[in-house]
């Protein structure tokens, strides 16, 4: 596996490929890799001739400096995992390579970014828009892979690519979970074994919300009851929302043919976790 640290190295690498018919798959990550990331890589490996993974902990998408400072980093292990997964290239830029100066550009994703993560992490999706645009411009992949665990991010990246007429196909894959149901996340590395058990309240609440919505219960009363469960467990629930899966519009009921998902964010011992389940599929 080649490790490329600069845009120029990527450009050279791509220009030396045997022919320009080769299909390229990009999996953008922030490292501290787990089976969720590796599932994206596996799909990319299956679909594309050349697989490039990027690892870059992007400062412009962090609204909370402590979250950025504590973001897990396990580079040696990541490199081993990527080699085992037969990745061709790791793009591993330094901060200055991506941001030689502070970007003046910012993104607003009208209607998509004022709820959920966008509401509680101001500037987050502008930062995601900037880094994803940069990575797509540098690598020029045919396909790029993202996880549905970050449901709102998927909607935003699809919009970004459409609005900027970028020639890339966005592929999304379902959330990979521990056997317990806990969604895999790099930030789980900051949880103790006890915290991982406490964190199960997220997926349990999502499943309960889904079941009750489908049995015709009122959304606001479902949400109130779940908020009380969180208060009882002393876990800080940041949001629990029923949204349209693609437009991110907040909903207060399910309806046939309207794809919707329940999304959650909560702090378990100071670690912010997110998750979602689809209630009605497209
Ligand atoms: N459990 C998972 N299953 C499938 N894909 C995932 C999972 N977790 C993350 N991903 C996807 O992997 C890509 C890189 O995500 P990232 O590096 O931020 O990891 P992460 O585990 O989501 O980290 P964190 O949750 O701590 O932000 C994103 O497209 C993300 O949606
Ligand atoms: C897409 C991404 C790699 C951009 O930094 C990040 O938001 C993530 O890991 O989901
Ligand atoms: N996977 C989302 C990246 C973030 O939390 O900033």
């Amino acid at each position: 596996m080649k490790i490329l640290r600069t845009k120029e190295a990527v450009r050279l690498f791509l220009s030396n490929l045997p022919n320009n018919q080769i299909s390229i798959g990009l999996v953008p990550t922030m490292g501290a890799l787990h089976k969720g990331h590796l599932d994206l890589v596996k799909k990319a490996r299956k679909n594309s001739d050349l697989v490039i993974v990027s690892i870059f902990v992007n400062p412009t998408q962090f609204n909370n400096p402590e979250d950025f400072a504590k973001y897990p980093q396990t580079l040696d292990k990541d490199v081993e995992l990527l080699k085992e997964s037969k990745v061709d290239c790791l793009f591993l830029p330094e901060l200055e390579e991506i941001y030689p100066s502070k970007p003046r550009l910012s993104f607003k994703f009208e209607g998509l970014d004022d709820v959920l993560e966008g509401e509680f992490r101001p500037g987050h999706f502008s930062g995601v828009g900037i880094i994803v645009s940069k990575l797509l411009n540098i690598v020029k992949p045919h396909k790029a892979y993202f996880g549905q665990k970050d449901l709102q991010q998927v909607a935003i990246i699809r919009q970004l690519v459409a609005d900027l007429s970028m020639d890339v196909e966005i592929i999304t894959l379902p959330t990979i979970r521990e056997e317990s149901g806990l969604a895999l996340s790099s930030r789980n590395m900051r949880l103790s074994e006890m915290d991982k058990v406490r964190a199960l309240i997220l997926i349990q609440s999502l499943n309960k919300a889904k079941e009750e919505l489908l049995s015709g219960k009122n959304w606001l009363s479902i949400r109130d009851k779940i908020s009380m469960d969180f208060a009882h467990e002393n876990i800080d629930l940041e949001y629990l929302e029923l949204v349209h899966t693609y437009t991110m519009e907040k909903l207060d009921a399910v309806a046939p043919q309207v794809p919707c998902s329940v999304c959650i964010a909560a702090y378990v011992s100071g670690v912010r976790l997110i998750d979602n389940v689809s209630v009605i599929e497209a």
Side-chain angles (χ1 to χ4, degrees):
M1 181 177 73
K2 277 214 165 352
I3 301 185
L4 306 173
R5 294 175 189 272
T6 63
K7 299 188 290 276
E8 182 56 17
V10 175
R11 196 190 60 76
L12 252 173
F13 178 80
L14 297 178
S15 68
N16 282 331
L17 291 175
N19 65 54
N20 56 10
Q21 300 301 314
I22 283 181
S23 65
I24 301 174
L26 171 68
V27 182
T29 81
M30 301 205 298
L33 301 181
H34 51 63
K35 287 189 182 137
H37 299 116
L38 298 181
D39 196 55
L40 299 177
V41 169
K42 196 166 149 197
K43 187 71 170 186
R45 185 66 287 166
K46 215 164 147 194
N47 280 352
S48 301
D49 300 320
L50 191 93
V51 177
I52 303 188
V53 173
S54 62
I55 296 182
F56 181 68
V57 186
N58 173 42
T60 62
Q61 72 187 73
F62 283 83
N63 55 307
N64 174 347
E66 188 188 339
D67 188 28
F68 178 61
K70 291 190 174 166
Y71 198 82
Q73 305 220 25
T74 57
L75 183 59
D76 291 346
K77 187 168 159 238
D78 293 353
V79 168
E80 283 317 304
L81 290 171
L82 295 177
K83 281 183 184 162
E84 281 166 23
S85 303
K86 310 251 176 306
V87 165
D88 299 286
C89 252
L90 167 61
F91 180 44
L92 185 66
E94 296 285 349
L95 181 69
E96 294 69 32
E97 180 67 16
I98 298 293
Y99 295 113
S101 59
K102 194 168 177 282
R104 289 170 191 270
L105 176 71
S106 68
F107 284 101
K108 174 82 192 95
F109 297 94
E110 215 55 63
L112 290 176
D113 66 0
D114 25 45
V115 294
L116 312 174
E117 294 298 281
E119 180 178 348
F120 288 93
R121 298 185 65 187
H124 169 62
F125 284 119
S126 180
V128 169
I130 292 173
I131 187 63
V132 171
S133 306
K134 282 175 179 271
L135 292 170
L136 294 175
N137 280 337
I138 294 168
V139 175
K140 301 184 186 66
H142 301 89
K143 297 183 186 345
Y145 296 81
F146 297 89
Q148 283 160 12
K149 190 187 66 127
D150 295 279
L151 188 73
Q152 191 176 18
Q153 173 169 279
V154 167
I156 278 172
I157 290 170
R158 287 192 186 283
Q159 191 69 46
L160 175 80
V161 161
D163 286 353
L164 295 179
S165 308
M166 288 178 169
D167 204 5
V168 58
E169 186 184 344
I170 301 302
I171 313 265
T172 66
L173 291 181
T175 303
I176 305 294
R177 300 177 179 280
E178 305 243 18
E179 246 173 68
S180 63
L182 180 67
L184 295 187
S185 159
S186 304
R187 290 183 177 88
N188 291 356
M189 289 179 197
R190 295 179 49 206
L191 299 175
S192 67
E193 286 311 308
M194 179 65 109
D195 287 336
K196 284 190 184 168
V197 175
R198 295 178 73 226
L200 291 179
I201 191 172
L202 275 84
I203 183 60
Q204 286 163 355
S205 302
L206 291 173
N207 286 335
K208 185 167 154 191
K210 174 175 179 167
E211 194 186 311
E212 294 188 348
L213 277 166
L214 292 177
S215 74
K217 270 207 180 146
N218 173 275
W219 167 241
L220 292 180
S221 62
I222 298 171
R223 195 166 72 167
D224 283 351
K225 171 73 183 63
I226 291 175
S227 302
M228 283 192 284
D229 294 343
F230 273 77
H232 187 254
E233 294 298 320
N234 234 333
I235 295 180
D236 185 8
L237 176 65
E238 191 162 65
Y239 63 72
L240 178 69
E241 298 289 355
L242 175 66
V243 295
H244 187 291
T245 302
Y246 304 117
T247 67
M248 295 293 126
E249 184 195 346
K250 283 188 193 178
L251 304 174
D252 53 19
V254 293
Q257 320 292 329
V258 178
C260 64
S261 302
V262 182
C263 299
I264 195 166
Y267 285 87
V268 176
S269 299
V271 180
R272 188 173 183 281
L273 302 176
I274 62 170
D275 201 352
N276 65 82
V277 294
S278 163
V279 178
I280 294 188
E281 302 280 336

